Structure formats: structure tokens, C-alpha cells
């Protein structure tokens, strides 16, 4: 039976809003929340369908957790369900990040705010590592997947191999080697449990692929994606920073495989070094802001868009420019996520149960673990050390920390935050709040 006849869309709206408000902890926490709400608690989507959708979303550019929400909403209530799920997944966090970005831009240099971020940034290290362990536990079953994760880490960390090539190589390796599905969980549900969208239910009409519908979806999706950029280019000029941000982040949306963690180093390099929209320290602060809010971590790009336009407003008021930069960045980042799902999901639904496809998706998930490991170390080095030296050994690019510049306070915060997450099972907002208050206390004691 089709899920749309068994789950009222009003009930789905409330659940998606709840997920949007409680979606802390990055993709690992958000995926776990959807697993609990949609599969375990409400029995709306079977485990097999949920995992199949997740593996497909890991293959796509953009935030995989939001795309999983769009996919699930689409399964339950067609295109309107996908629009509701994907929008509510992002909207609460986007509004909070916008408010915090404006506050940071206006008061970020104030001592109290700066002190809060001094405690916050080391806690971000612990949050990223915690997510790494959670994803690794799900993805790295067997020596083949572990080897792929190591190869991905070495390639991106030491030899700057582009992430799309890592994804392509891992997918081909998984397809050829038949590593099995991306989880060790049983695919069949015991006990005759009935789901609104089950494993073997007859396929609803909207889940059957149609090339005509796919072409219409592609045309409409691309037009809606780029229409705001074109409108602002006409109004402000092609060289205005808001338009440049829209073009840049629209392009980034096509290559952000693995979500925010996987692409953040590239965004940081471009926004800080190439465009000069903000400083490296501000970029770390932006990730800290994104970590304190619900929604995808890629919302950090909204912070970048706000600060870049705020600092280079042209003829606009800085705050208005910042809001425009944030809004356009958010649009071009998340609009294509709906396009990928509405375009590809019907075809992917037809491939359920094919062993080679499942193996390819599992291999890509394993490679993403290696990429996240690289980002974890990158952030740890830049947060905990005042100076990093660069060296090349056998063609590999190495970052060597100057140990005399180690921030002992930051290291202590990072260790304590990790223990709070892994041992004491504190929720991320609690850890972030305590870490920020520790930074404030440090400032007060130093006076």
C-alpha cells in the first residue's frame, strides 16, 4: 500500500518540523534521528527502504541527511512531501544561523563574544571526531572498506586528490569487488511488521521512472535554482559580491560530495585565500555556529555568505547585503538537493536489491570516512596550534605543528568535550554551551 494513503501529510508535517528543530549533531545525529522517528517509532518506512535511500544520498553532492529527508518525504507523499520534508529540515537552522551571523558581524570583535568562541572551537573538534566514529562504525565492515577509507584519507590529505575522483574510484572498486551492502543490519524485518512504505509493497506510480517526467524535472529544477542569481545579477551587477557568492556556492553545490565535512577545506581555501570574504579564524567560528544549531552543517556556507557580503557591501547597507548574501547562498546550496532526489530517486527505486549497486554505494560511504578523518585532523591542527609548518616528502604535502605553540586550554576543552559526548552521552547543544562558558570563564579569570 502506498504510504501517502496511510500517513496523513499533516502528521508528516509535524514530524518533519520536529526533526528540523532537533537535528543537532551533524549527519550522523540527523540520520539516527530519522531512523528513530521514521523506521523504529512510527513504522513509516522499512529498514531496507531507508538504508537504500541513505546509500543513494551518500553518492550525491550536498548534505546527505537533508537529501534523505527529501527522499523519505517523497516516498510518503510524492513531490509535496519531499518539498515539506526538505524545507523543514533546513529552515529552523537557517533562521538561527542568520540571526547568529548578524550578531557575530556586528559584535564579533567584542571580548565576551570572542571568549565564547575560544571555548567553542575546541569543542567542534570533539564533535567532528564523534561523528567520524559513528559513521565509521556503520560503514567500515571488513578489510576492503577499511582499505578504501585509508586510501581516501591518504589521497586527499597528502596528495590533494579531488574528492569527485575519490568517489568515482571508490564506487568502481565497490562495484568490481562486491563488498556487500553498507550496513550489517538485516534487510528483512522479522515478525510481519507492516510499514507505510515497505520492502516488497507494490511500487506507487510516482516511484516508477519516466524519462518525460525526468526531463521536465530537470528543466524546472535548473531554472528555479539559478533564477535568483540571474535576478540579482541584473539588479546589482555581475561583479557584486552577492552575485559572486551565488555563482561560487552554486558551483560548490555540484561537488560537495560527502556533505559539509568533506568540502569544508575547499570552501575555506576559496573564501579565505582566494576571495578574501573572511578570515581563517572567522571560518572556524562559522563552523562553531553551525554546530550549535539544528540542520545540516553545510549551513556554515550561509555564515560565509553573510560575512562576505557584510564586509564588501558595495552600495548596499552592510546588514542588507549580509542578509542577501546569506539568503542567496542558502538557496543555491539547498535548491539542487531537491532536484537530485526528484530526478534520480525513481530510477534508484528500480535498482533496489541489485548487489553490485549496493556494493558501490557501500564503498563510497567508506571513502567518505577517510575524507572526514582528514578534515578532523585539519581542524584540530589549525585550532590547537598557533603555527603550522609545511613540508613535502616524496611528493606528499605535510603539515607539521610547532609544538611550542600548542594551546593547552584548547586541548583540555577538546578532550573534555569528547568525553562528555562519548562517555557521559551529553547532547551536542549542552557540550557546546559548556565549552563556550569555559571560554568566557577563561577570559574573566585572566583579568
Amino acid at each position: 500500500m502506498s504510504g501517502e494513503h496511510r500517513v496523513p501529510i499533516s502528521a508528516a508535517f509535524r514530524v518533519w518540523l520536529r526533526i528540523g528543530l532537533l537535528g543537532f549533531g551533524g549527519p550522523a545525529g540527523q540520520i539516527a534521528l530519522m531512523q528513530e522517528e521514521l523506521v523504529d517509532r512510527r513504522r513509516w518506512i522499512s529498514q531496507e527502504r531507508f538504508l537504500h535511500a541513505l546509500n543513494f544520498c551518500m553518492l550525491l553532492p550536498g548534505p546527505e541527511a537533508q537529501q534523505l529527508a527529501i527522499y523519505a518525504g517523497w516516498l510518503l507523499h510524492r513531490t509535496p512531501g519531499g518539498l515539506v520534508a526538505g524545507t523543514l529540515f533546513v529552515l529552523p537552522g537557517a533562521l538561527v544561523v542568520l540571526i547568529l551571523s548578524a550578531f557575530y558581524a556586528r559584535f564579533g570583535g567584542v571580548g565576551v563574544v570572542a571568549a565564547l568562541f575560544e571555548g567553542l572551537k575546541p569543542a567542534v573538534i570533539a564533535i567532528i571526531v564523534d561523528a567520524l566514529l559513528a559513521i565509521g562504525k556503520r560503514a567500515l565492515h571488513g578489510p576492503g572498506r577499511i582499505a578504501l577509507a585509508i586510501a581516501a584519507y591518504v589521497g586527499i590529505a597528502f596528495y590533494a586528490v579531488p574528492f569527485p575522483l575519490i568517489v568515482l574510484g571508490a564506487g568502481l572498486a565497490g562495484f568490481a569487488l562486491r563488498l556487500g551492502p553498507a550496513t550489517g543490519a538485516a534487510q528483512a524485518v522479522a515478525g510481519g511488521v507492516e510499514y507505510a512504505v515497505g520492502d516488497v509493497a507494490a511500487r506507487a506510480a510516482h516511484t516508477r521512472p519516466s524519462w518525460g517526467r525526468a526531463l521536465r524535472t530537470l528543466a524546472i529544477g535548473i531554472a528555479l535554482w539559478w533564477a535568483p542569481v540571474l535576478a540579482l545579477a541584473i539588479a546589482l551587477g555581475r561583479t557584486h559580491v552577492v552575485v559572486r557568492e551565488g555563482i561560487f556556492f552554486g558551483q560548490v553545490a555540484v561537488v560537495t560530495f560527502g556533505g559539509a565535512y568533506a568540502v569544508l577545506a575547499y570552501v575555506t581555501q576559496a573564501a579565505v585565500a582566494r576571495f578574501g570574504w573572511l578570515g581563517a579564524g572567522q571560518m572556524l567560528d562559522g563552523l562553531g555556529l553551525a554546530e550549535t544549531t539544528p540542520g545540516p552543517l553545510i549551513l556554515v556556507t550561509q555564515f560565509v555568505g553573510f560575512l562576505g557580503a557584510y564586509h564588501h557591501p558595495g552600495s548596499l547597507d552592510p546588514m542588507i547585503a549580509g542578509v542577501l548574501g546569506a539568503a542567496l547562498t542558502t538557496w543555491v546550496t539547498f535548491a539542487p538537493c531537491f532536484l537530485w532526489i526528484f530526478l534520480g530517486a525513481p530510477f534508484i527505486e528500480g535498482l533496489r536489491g541489485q548487489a553490485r549497486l549496493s556494493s558501490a554505494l557501500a564503498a563510497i560511504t567508506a571513502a567518505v570516512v577517510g575524507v572526514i578523518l582528514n578534515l578532523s585532523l585539519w581542524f584540530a591542527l589549525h585550532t590547537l596550534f598557533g603555527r603550522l609548518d609545511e613540508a613535502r616528502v616524496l611528493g606528499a604535502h605535510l603539515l607539521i605543528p610547532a609544538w611550542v605553540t600548542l594551546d593547552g586550554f584548547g586541548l583540555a576543552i577538546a578532550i573534555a568535550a569528547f568525553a562528555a559526548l562519548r562517555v557521559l552521552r551529553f547532547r551536542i547543544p549542552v557540550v557546546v554551551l559548556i565549552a563556550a562558558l569555559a571560554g568566557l570563564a577563561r577570559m574573566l579569570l585572566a583579568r
Side-chain angles (χ1 to χ4, degrees), residues 285-372:
D285 292 342
L287 182 62
L289 283 177
E291 290 284 8
T292 66
T293 61
L297 295 179
I298 199 67
L299 279 171
V300 68
T301 60
Q302 180 183 349
F303 175 83
V304 175
F306 186 98
L307 281 194
Y310 183 89
H311 291 152
H312 307 88
S315 61
L316 297 176
D317 175 81
M319 193 59 67
I320 293 176
V323 171
L324 279 177
L328 187 61
T329 298
T330 302
W331 176 264
V332 298
T333 297
F334 293 104
C337 296
F338 296 90
L339 174 59
W340 310 146
I341 298 301
F342 295 152
L343 182 64
F347 295 94
I348 293 299
E349 279 292 299
L351 298 176
R352 286 192 303 117
Q354 293 194 11
R356 285 189 179 273
L357 176 64
S358 298
S359 177
L361 295 177
I364 291 170
T365 305
V368 168
V369 175
V371 176
I372 297 175

Side-chain angles (χ1 to χ4, degrees), residues 151-208:
Y153 168 73
V154 171
I156 200 167
F158 298 141
Y159 296 99
V161 178
F163 186 75
L165 291 183
I166 291 176
V167 168
L168 178 62
L172 292 175
F175 187 84
L177 299 177
R178 296 192 181 188
L179 299 177
T183 176
Q187 298 295 306
V189 179
V193 175
E194 186 179 4
Y195 291 86
V197 177
D199 296 352
V200 295
R203 295 184 62 188
H206 71 289
T207 67
R208 298 170 189 154

Side-chain angles (χ1 to χ4, degrees), residues 233-276:
I234 295 172
L236 301 176
R238 168 68 175 77
T239 60
H240 195 281
V241 66
V242 171
V243 178
R244 294 174 62 200
E245 287 176 342
I247 294 172
F248 172 71
F249 285 109
Q251 294 170 343
V252 167
V254 181
V255 298
T256 52
F257 295 94
Y261 288 134
V263 78
L264 202 55
Y266 169 69
V267 171
T268 299
Q269 181 183 19
V272 175
R274 195 198 325 170
F275 298 120

Side-chain angles (χ1 to χ4, degrees), residues 87-105:
T87 301
L88 292 179
F89 189 90
V90 171
L91 187 59
L95 292 176
V96 174
V97 169
L98 178 61
I99 294 171
L100 292 177
S101 298
F103 182 84
Y104 179 90

